[in-house]
Every structure is written in C-alpha cells, then in structure tokens.
C-alpha cells in the first residue's frame, strides 16, 4: 500500500486535508496492472463480459446519441439526470419489486458516485458505517476517505446475521459513536456471492428502523441470478428508510458510467445538489446512449443472455474448485460475479499473491474486503470475465500455489504438517465479528 | 435559496454531515428551469453552442467507440484516464504553452470533478481559498461544500490585483487561518470576461510561491479568443506550484463530461486515488469518442469556427449594450462566454430578476459569484448560446427592465431622481476588497 499522506519529496506535504490520510490505494487497484497481462488468468477483477452485448444495437444507440439526439446528448443536462432515462430506470427496478416516482431517482456517474455523494452528505469524522464482513472494497475506501469508520457484522450463508447486527449497534453506541448507515449488498454480495434471505431482509430493516439507522442497499448484481430470482429488494419493503443504488454497469456496460440512486425525498434533494457541485450534470451522452438502447433493444432478453454466460462460468469455477481444491471451503453463489474461498489456518492470501502471479493466476486477497485486517485466509475469485476453460486453468494454477504453500508450511513447521481441516462445503465459514 | 440542512419533515434531519449545511442550491441552478422556456432569451447559462460542431465527425467518433473500440469504450478503465487521450490532451495544452508528461495528466468527469476532488484532498473545515471577486459560482459551491471559506481579491481590467492579493494573504494569516489555494480563471474569466495580464501572471505566481500557496488555474475558455491569444497559461511558467484544469466542454461538447487536471507528481497520485474512490474510472466511452474525434477531425479548425461564432455574439452583445444601456458599465471580453454588467447604485439584480423574466429575458445575478453577498449591482450576461439577433433583443428587453427600475427608484425616492452616474466604459469597476 503506497504512502498517500505525502513525503518530504512532496512540497505540498502538510497541505492536505486530514481526510486525505484515509485515501489509500486499494489492493484491487494494484492488481489491475498485473491482471492485464494476457498470459495471466485473472480471477481478480470485476469486469463484466461486455463482448456478450448486441453489437448492432449498441452501435445504433451511439449513433442516435450523435445524430437525432445530439442537441441533448452533447449539452449540459440536469443534475438529476435525463427524465426519460429516469422513467426507464423505474422499469428496471420494477423487476426487483421497487416502485417509486421519477422524481425520487438521481442519475449518477456509476453507482460508485452515488456512494461517494452519500458519504459526503452524511459522514462526519469518526462516524460509523455498519457493513457486512467482508464488504465491497471501494465502498470501504469511500467511507474511509470521509473519515468514516467501517464496523463489520459477520455473515453466514443467509447473509448478515441479525442478532450480530443488534449487538454491533449496541456496542458501537455504547462506545459513544454515531452510526450513519447500514451498508449492505443483499443479493449475490461482493465479495462473497451470498444472498440475504427474505426473512433476514425484513428483520434487518426492522432493526434499522427501530434503531433509526439509514440503510444503503447496493444492488449491482440482483438481476444476474442463475436459478430463481433473489428475494425482492429491501427498498421494495421500506421506501423511507432505504437509499437504493442501482447501475447499468453489470446489465449493460460499465464504460458508460451510469448508475442511480432512489432515495427518500429530502435526501434526494441533497443528492442532486451534491451531484451538481461534483460534476454539474452526469454525462448526457452516456444517458442518451443507454436510453436509446433500452428503447430499442430486448434488454430483458440481454440480461437473460448475461445470466447464461455467467452461470456457465460459475459452474466452471465451482467444478474446478471441487476437482483441484477439494479440501478448501468456498461459497456457492446463485448469481453475480464472485466466489469467496477460505483456506486453512496459517495461509495468507496476500502474502501468497506474488507466487500466484508467478504461476500466472491472479485473485483478490480477502484483506481488501475488511476494514480491520481480517480476511487473510480468504480470497475473492471472480468468474465474470474469463472464458470457462481459462477459469478452470486458473483454478488449477491456484491449486498448485496453495498446495505448494501447504507443503512448505508443513516442511518448516516444528510440529507435524498442518492437517487440512475437513470442512463442510456450501456453508460460509463464520467470520470473526 | 432552498433550505438544505433539512426540516422536521425530513426524518433524516440531524443525520447529515456538518458540511452538508454548506451545500446550497445556486442561483444559476434555479434559473435553468426558467431559461429553458423557449420564449425567454436566456443570457443566464453557460451552454456552449454545440450545433456548430461537425455532425459527421462526431457521428463517426461515436460509431468507432461503439464498434472497433468497443472492447475498451464499454469497459471499466484506468482511474487516470485513457493513455492515448492523455497524449492528445498534451497536444491541446501545448497551444497555451504548457509542456508536461502524460503521467502528470488525470482525466476527470468534466473539470468540475477535478475541482471537487482537489477540494476533497485539500480542504479541512475553515480553510481559506483565495479567489477573484467575483468568481465562478460552482467553484464557490464546491469549496463551501467542504467547509472552505472563500475570500475574494478585487480585480480590475487586468485581472486580480497583486497588491490586494498580498494584503489579503497577510490579513487572512493574521486572523490565524490557513490558506489552501489561490483559485483563478486567468483567461476570459467567469463571470467577468477579464484576462489576467502577463505581468500579473508572473507577479501573482511569485507571490504564491513565496507565500507557499498552491495555485489552481482553471482554464476552460483560453482557446476561445476573439483577437490575439491570451498570455500563456500560468502552468507554463510554474509546473510545481500550479494545478491546471482543462476541459473539452467548451472546445467540443460538455455532454461528454470530460475534463482534466495536470498536477505536480505527488498531488497527481492523490488525485488518481480520489478519482477511483469517487467514480472508479472516468467514462471510457466518452474518452474514446473524444480521442477518435481528435484523431480524425480538424479540431484546431473547429476551435477557430467556435471563435468566429462567439466573436459575432460578443459583438452583438456589446453593440446592443451601447445602443440600449449606454449609461451602464460593462466589461469588453476578448474571448470566452461572458460580459459583466454594473448597474448604478441602489439597483439590485437579484431582486430585479423576476421582472426581467416577466419581460422574457434572463441573466445571472452578480451575487451568485461572490461568497460574501457582494455583487448586487452586477449581473453576468452570457453571449455563448443565443443567436446574435436574440442577444440584441435580450438586451433590449433588459434595458426596459433596468430603465423601469430606475424610473421607479426616482419616483419613490424622497429626493430628486437618482442621477445616472457617468462611468468610463472598458474599465472594470473596483470591487469591495
């Protein structure tokens, strides 16, 4: 991790804001350069497989933005987003049980920017954000960059544990700290792939409501289910206590950088002001390309195509894990992009990464997804981008590395070689709470 | 101005960050709705005249992004921006005397987002930003949104007054406050249209250097000169003490939302991290469209076309002001988008605006461009968007309103009608420092 507060070589050292100390290079970021070498099988990134998109319809949408719609697409727009696109976003969200008004939707520069703006609107230094442990790496980065403190709640194979949530809220408040959000990715979570059950959605919303805590529901993957759909969005149950974040990055293309938030009215007003201050208006061009695509393409059919693509890759990964790493534990996602692998004690996924890259396979170390240093035994394995054969080969290479590590540990151990612990598959290991 | 801290009707009132109190709706924002009515001549907005763009080349660039370049354009990209575009940005900046490395350039979501990210990186609550008085409205909004305090330095027709700058630095520091930036728009300033002379650029950089103050040079309009080019950019004189902000919004199209910063190395590193936290990466699609346009179009010729378009409009505005409002004072910009009008004492441009809109003309009240309530006698008149005939008609309508106000003031005055003060044209009135 690079030093970000500056050094004596930086003449502006000492001029930065306090919050800048919290802005560090993520472990995922450092991997981008590595993962882009063609000989490496990257199971590290979260890049969607955009080659599966309908070339001609994307072309037509781009052309429309540059011709008939150019007067709007090339110009500054509203800080809230193009009205027609906001209507279409309501249609997308209706698939997950959400109903609302176009007036409550704010278009942002990817849902990432909605996260950033909400952090800016809500976080004073020292404020606490409760999140699943593990959680999305760049959400943790954003919260830290506004001097927020992320406190994790353990999960199991049904998602965040409600009883642990209650205890965490109590403990944080007893320590005199203010809780600003409960941040959750309820469907096919990043990085675990786990989905929060219906019963827990209801229970967690009730806990948040009675505790007066705003819920940030981040849902990039909900429509990418491989079997049945996940339970309805939490926003479909509670419109006043939830800010919901959606995106076109996974169902269409991340390069357009268009996401959105739907928020309670007063928060929505502030979001628009914050959006205007930050970027004046989100890209009209990108919004028009997407709006034209949604108007002309069978976008629901395209989401089905993506489901088929990713299901095949998920199956390739799970199969390869069974074949090559039968003694490890991993999650079995029913949608999304990620599998979460747990290795035996004493293995360290971050320390192991350079050896993995030498074996031409990359992953994201588990520590990236915790604010507290946890996750050393874990890694996130992405099945979204490589073809199934490459996924299989990647897991094979990974097994070479892990088995080599285990052998090495055994050799150097004062005692007998570490036993490979028998673990039950399909069950997410409990995380230190 | 709407209440932004919330009310009792907002259940999340009291949950917002302290900084959110500083995030208010700008006066420009409230005008967007009004100005969009077709019967209103809007001299209020800063929308470039994108209809002057070469339709076929934009179309071709968009098509390339959606076809041959789709694998990059539709995907996540680098948080620093597309390498080829960063090379092209160096070619654009070379026109204003700036030389640097592609490694020092960071692509942002419009230069507005570079401003936001720099404010985030540098401003602690109470930190001071020194800026011209008046200055760009949404820069003031951004600085306030991070609890910065904007202190204005008066300008005259040569731009910011160096002696006043020295005194301001001394006064602010004597009050125990930290100065984080000197924010300046040296060429065809927004809102005055005034250009900082070469001698003053050198002198102000020297003041900043000896005072240890970082300069933010914001230069959206420098290439849009109507007679000779403005003096070289301040960044061309000092690469270590200046962060320079550029944009394609005025020379190409704002709807793509692509701007950039070129910054000293250590600041550049932090800017990339902040950019990644905020939006992961700027839009690959927009960047590829622009890169393809620059590779295939006579973009320098197109900037000449824009100069011709805006010169004609500037002339129409100056001519109409001479004809219809001969007793007022205004600036005579040699480039850019704006004229700054000063009315006699006792007139209030903000209070007058509803009457102006009733007469079907809109402008931006001068108070929008000051952090301290100054500017009531002033208004910003934009000549960038309406056709010359409309500009002339807009100024005619404005004269009706102003003359009506003056007559009214005379009638209701206890003393004799207010004399219209004889003022020298071409000289920017001194601002209260």
């Amino acid at each position: 991790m690079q030093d970000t507060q500056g050094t004596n070589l930086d003449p502006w050292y000492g001029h930065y804001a306090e919050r800048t100390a919290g802005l560090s290079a993520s472990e995922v970021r450092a991997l981008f350069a590595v993962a882009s070498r063609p000989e490496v099988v990257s199971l590290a990134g979260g890049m969607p497989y955009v080659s599966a998109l309908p070339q001609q319809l994307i072309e037509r949408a781009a052309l429309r933005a540059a011709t008939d719609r150019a007067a709007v697409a090339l110009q500054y727009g509203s800080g809230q987003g193009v009205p027609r696109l906001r209507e279409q976003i309501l249609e997308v969200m209706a698939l997950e049980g959400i109903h609302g008004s176009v007036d409550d939707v704010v278009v942002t520069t990817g849902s990432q920017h909605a996260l950033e703006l909400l952090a800016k609107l809500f976080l004073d230094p020292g404020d606490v954000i409760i999140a699943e442990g593990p959680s999305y790496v760049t959400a943790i980065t954003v919260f830290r960059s506004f001097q927020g403190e992320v406190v994790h709640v353990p999960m199991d194979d049904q998602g965040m544990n409600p009883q642990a949530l209650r205890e965490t809220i109590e403990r944080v408040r007893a320590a005199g700290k203010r809780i600003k959000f409960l941040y959750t990715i309820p469907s096919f979570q990043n990085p675990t792939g786990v989905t929060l059950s219906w019963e827990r959605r209801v229970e967690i919303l009730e806990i948040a409501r009675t505790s007066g805590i705003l819920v940030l529901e981040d849902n990039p993957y909900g429509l990418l289910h491989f079997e049945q759909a996940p339970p309805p969005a939490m926003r479909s149950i509670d419109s006043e206590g939830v800010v919901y974040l959606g995106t076109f990055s996974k169902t269409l293309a991340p390069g357009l950088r268009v996401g959105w938030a739907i928020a309670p009215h007063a928060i929505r007003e502030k979001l628009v002001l914050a959006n205007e201050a930050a970027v004046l208006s989100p890209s009209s061009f990108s919004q028009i390309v997407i709006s034209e695509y949604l108007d002309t393409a069978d976008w629901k059919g395209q989401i089905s195509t993506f489901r088929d693509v990713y299901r095949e890759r998920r199956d390739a990964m799970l199969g390869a894990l069974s074949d090559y790493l039968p003694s490890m534990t991993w999650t079995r996602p029913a949608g999304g992009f990620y599998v979460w692998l747990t290795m035996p004690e004493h293995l360290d996924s971050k320390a192991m990464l350079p050896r993995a890259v030498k074996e031409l396979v990359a992953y994201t170390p588990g520590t990236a997804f915790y604010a507290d240093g946890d996750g050393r035994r874990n890694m996130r394995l992405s099945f979204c981008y490589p073809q199934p054969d490459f996924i299989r080969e990647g897991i094979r290479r990974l097994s070479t590395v892990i088995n080599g590590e285990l052998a090495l540990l055994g050799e150097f151990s004062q005692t007998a070689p570490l036993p490979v612990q028998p673990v039950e598959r399909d069950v997410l290991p409990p995380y230190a709470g």
Side-chain angles (χ1 to χ4, degrees), chain A:
Chain A
M1 213 169 279
Q2 76 186 85
D3 176 16
T4 58
Q5 186 57 20
T7 71
N8 292 337
L9 294 174
D10 177 5
W12 301 105
Y13 178 76
H15 287 243
Y16 299 106
E18 268 189 33
R19 72 177 70 82
T20 299
L23 196 67
S24 57
S26 79
E27 290 164 274
V28 171
R29 179 173 181 268
L31 285 171
F32 270 156
V34 170
S36 65
R37 284 164 44 200
E39 66 274 24
V40 174
V41 173
S42 176
L43 308 173
M47 296 196 300
Y49 187 65
V50 293
S51 306
L53 285 167
Q55 173 63 45
Q56 284 192 318
L57 293 174
I58 300 288
E59 198 180 315
R60 183 168 151 176
L63 210 55
R64 288 270 299 165
T67 54
D68 303 11
R69 309 287 311 273
V72 172
L74 298 175
Q75 194 53 272
Y76 289 113
S78 146
Q80 188 167 358
V82 169
R84 171 71 188 132
L85 181 63
R86 286 189 275 129
E87 284 173 15
Q88 293 166 312
I89 285 169
L90 288 181
E91 291 170 39
V92 173
M93 289 192 293
L95 296 181
E96 300 194 68
I98 295 172
H99 301 284
S101 151
V102 287
D103 195 45
D104 296 334
V105 176
V106 182
V107 178
T108 53
T109 306
S111 60
Q112 186 67 37
H113 201 222
L115 260 185
E116 165 94 358
L117 296 175
L118 288 160
K120 183 178 176 187
L121 286 176
F122 281 95
L123 297 185
D124 283 316
D127 283 348
V128 167
I129 303 92
I130 294 181
E132 285 124 0
S135 185
Y136 169 48
V137 54
T138 317
I140 296 174
T141 304
V142 166
F143 297 144
R144 279 178 161 169
S145 78
F146 285 99
Q147 297 170 274
E149 182 193 337
V150 175
V151 174
H152 293 293
V153 172
M155 356 173 21
D156 57 27
D157 62 346
Q158 302 292 302
M160 182 182 277
N161 182 314
Q163 186 50 36
L165 172 61
R166 278 191 201 89
E167 290 163 13
T168 302
I169 293 170
E170 208 168 301
R171 192 176 71 243
V172 168
R173 288 189 168 164
K177 292 178 181 169
R178 298 214 300 176
I179 300 169
K180 285 295 177 72
F181 314 126
L182 169 61
Y183 172 75
T184 178
I185 306 164
S187 296
F188 319 127
Q189 199 238 12
N190 181 358
T192 62
V194 163
T195 293
L196 189 67
S197 68
W198 170 252
E199 293 71 20
R200 288 207 183 164
R201 290 179 192 222
V202 173
E203 188 175 357
I204 285 175
L205 282 171
E206 182 59 18
I207 295 170
R209 197 185 61 74
T210 55
S211 310
I213 297 172
L214 184 65
V215 174
L216 293 199
E217 178 182 25
D218 194 357
N219 187 31
Y221 311 105
L223 292 174
L224 297 176
H225 49 82
F226 307 147
E227 285 99 28
Q228 75 276 39
M234 295 169 85
R235 170 59 173 72
S236 74
I237 308 170
D238 180 350
S239 61
E240 288 308 308
V242 177
V243 177
Y244 174 96
L245 309 184
T247 182
F248 289 108
S249 290
K250 274 68 182 187
T251 51
L252 184 45
L256 294 162
R257 307 307 303 118
V258 177
W260 68 88
I262 181 164
H265 189 76
I267 296 175
R268 189 279 286 162
E269 282 188 343
K270 290 178 177 58
L271 255 181
V272 173
L273 292 176
N275 207 14
E276 287 175 352
V279 298
L280 295 177
S281 58
S283 168
S284 305
F285 200 89
S286 287
Q287 290 180 82
I288 296 292
V289 170
I290 293 178
S291 181
E292 289 291 327
Y293 170 84
L294 294 173
D295 266 343
T296 56
D298 173 17
W299 59 270
K300 292 181 193 173
Q302 179 57 34
I303 292 173
S304 278
T305 301
F306 276 127
R307 285 174 191 147
D308 294 342
V309 166
Y310 297 129
R311 183 192 302 107
E312 188 189 2
R313 292 169 186 209
R314 187 265 325 250
D315 291 344
M317 181 170 279
L318 294 181
L321 285 167
S322 290
D323 292 346
Y324 292 116
L325 287 164
S327 63
M328 306 287 123
T329 316
W330 58 86
T331 57
R332 301 195 150 228
F337 282 10
Y338 309 111
V339 164
W340 183 247
L341 181 82
T342 303
M343 302 186 294
E345 292 280 3
H346 305 294
L347 287 190
D348 181 330
S349 63
K350 193 173 168 185
M352 199 176 79
L353 186 58
R355 270 155 278 174
V357 171
K358 210 180 143 204
E359 293 290 332
L360 305 180
V361 61
Y363 55 82
T364 310
T367 46
F369 305 97
Y370 285 94
D372 57 9
D374 207 346
R376 292 163 61 115
R377 289 171 64 194
N378 303 107
M379 62 179 69
R380 188 190 73 177
L381 299 171
S382 310
F383 53 80
C384 45
Y385 196 70
Q387 307 272 3
D389 284 356
F390 285 89
I391 290 174
R392 196 169 168 81
E393 172 60 14
I395 297 294
R396 193 195 62 76
R397 294 176 187 173
L398 183 63
S399 72
T400 310
V401 180
I402 294 179
N403 290 328
E405 291 288 295
L406 285 171
L408 206 67
L409 265 179
E411 251 173 58
F412 285 89
S413 169
Q414 299 290 324
T415 64
L418 270 176
V420 173
Q421 297 168 310
V423 279
E424 274 193 72
R425 205 119 358 108
D426 292 354
V427 175
L428 193 69
Y431 298 94

